[in-house]
Amino acid sequence: MRRIEPDSLALAVLTAALLLHGFAGERLAAEPRGADGVARLHAQLQGVLPEGWLREFDLKRERTIERLNGRMDELRRKLERRERSARFRLAAHS
């Protein structure tokens, strides 16, 4: 059985929460603008998601992005080497 990564689980939970409760932008548009509206929204988010969890999620998200960027760079270099090799072989047969 394949193990579910914590990052994938966190992303699934966040996606489900957004789908069930709507996007924050829609709520912000409906909320009165000003210090009271922002304070009320902040208090609602604090009750739903603890601050430590949000910081940890952001750190994991950044690490995942960095890891994927590194993997993309690695694959790009590998593809470039293959293209150069194919051009060299084509030129050698001409």
Side-chain angles (χ1 to χ4, degrees):
M1 184 170 170
R2 201 170 130 191
R3 184 176 175 265
I4 298 175
E5 292 292 324
D7 294 343
S8 300
L9 182 61
L11 184 59
V13 168
L14 184 61
T15 302
L18 285 174
L19 290 174
L20 292 173
H21 295 288
F23 292 98
E26 294 171 357
R27 288 189 177 182
L28 285 176
E31 290 280 328
R33 304 221 172 168
D36 292 339
V38 171
R40 196 175 26 227
L41 179 64
H42 183 69
Q44 288 173 351
L45 288 176
Q46 287 294 347
V48 174
L49 299 172
E51 187 69 29
W53 188 88
L54 290 173
R55 269 188 263 116
E56 183 179 338
F57 181 82
D58 285 341
L59 283 173
K60 286 182 178 182
R61 181 177 51 95
E62 289 299 322
R63 279 190 227 129
T64 301
I65 290 170
E66 289 172 7
R67 188 180 78 238
L68 290 174
N69 283 340
R71 181 73 177 137
M72 283 177 38
D73 289 341
E74 179 184 315
L75 290 172
R76 187 177 300 116
R77 285 190 299 270
K78 188 176 181 180
L79 179 62
E80 288 171 354
R81 282 193 305 268
R82 283 185 182 172
E83 287 177 350
R84 273 187 257 129
S85 175
R87 278 190 234 137
F88 177 74
R89 285 189 301 238
L90 184 60
H93 289 317
S94 297

